[in-house]
Amino acid sequence: VLVGCGHTHALVLLALQNSLSGNVDVTVIDPGEKAVYSGMLPGFVAGHYTREDLDIEIDHLTRSENVRFLQDRAVALDAAAKVITVQGGEEVHFDIAPLDAGITSDMRDLPGLERFAVPAKPLAGFAVKWRAYLQDTQAPRVAVIGGGVAGAVRTSGNALPTATFATRGASSSTCGAASAAMLTETDELGAAIV
């Protein structure tokens, strides 16, 4: 049983399409018809991809004879009994059950978040808000909270072609009409979004 169909499980399904034997059954549990490939987010932010380009068609990946797509949300996992229960009540038995359920950004306690910030995950909500933001502004000003690789790429020239990025502090770099900053320390967050 594959719980969630993020890009890792999508690659597993691609690899299994031609190699499943008749005695192996795979069930994919995911609440959506499509999954979003977050690796393309920087290209989406830069305008290289449409929102739809980021979609992974789960149904397409689960058309093999021994693969079943259960469009539902996993709500309980009993490791001892090897059973996953989905929101609709069905119990799915498994031998192995890797989890690829994605990530969300729960930063509600961060002052100013609701008014000034948009979490990048889940991506579907971010994509809608990013489009609206670009339509409403002539000179984007972006602060990326987090100093990981994804934050650096999103803030670099790949994501904002006319901006550079700062790796520390609330300082920002400006080139042309856009400006961006990457914030990596907790004490800098309040100054950046409040």
Side-chain angles (χ1 to χ4, degrees), residues 37-46 54 103 105 118-123 126 130 142-165 179-182:
Y37 178 47
S38 61
M40 293 173 65
L41 178 61
F44 167 75
V45 169
L54 310 182
I103 187 171
S105 302
V118 178
K121 302 280 182 109
L123 185 59
F126 171 81
W130 179 252
V142 177
V144 175
I145 301 171
V149 173
V153 170
R154 286 186 188 109
T155 318
S156 71
N158 290 332
L160 292 169
T162 60
T164 59
F165 66 92
S179 65
M182 184 169 72

Side-chain angles (χ1 to χ4, degrees), residues 107 110-119 126 129-130 133 141-145 183 189-194:
M107 299 182 290
L110 194 57
L113 180 78
E114 293 293 323
R115 183 171 176 205
F116 297 107
V118 178
F126 171 81
K129 291 181 179 181
W130 179 252
Y133 173 73
R141 292 177 40 209
V142 177
V144 175
I145 301 171
L183 311 172
L189 300 181
I193 64 170
V194 172

Side-chain angles (χ1 to χ4, degrees), residues 5 50 58-59 63-65 70 81 90-92 105 109 122 124 126 129-130 138 142 155 171 176 179 182 192:
C5 194
T50 68
I58 299 173
D59 183 54
R63 290 188 182 154
S64 297
E65 185 176 320
L70 176 56
E90 183 176 344
E91 292 185 343
V92 182
S105 302
D109 293 339
F126 171 81
K129 291 181 179 181
W130 179 252
Q138 296 298 315
V142 177
T155 318
S171 63
S179 65
M182 184 169 72

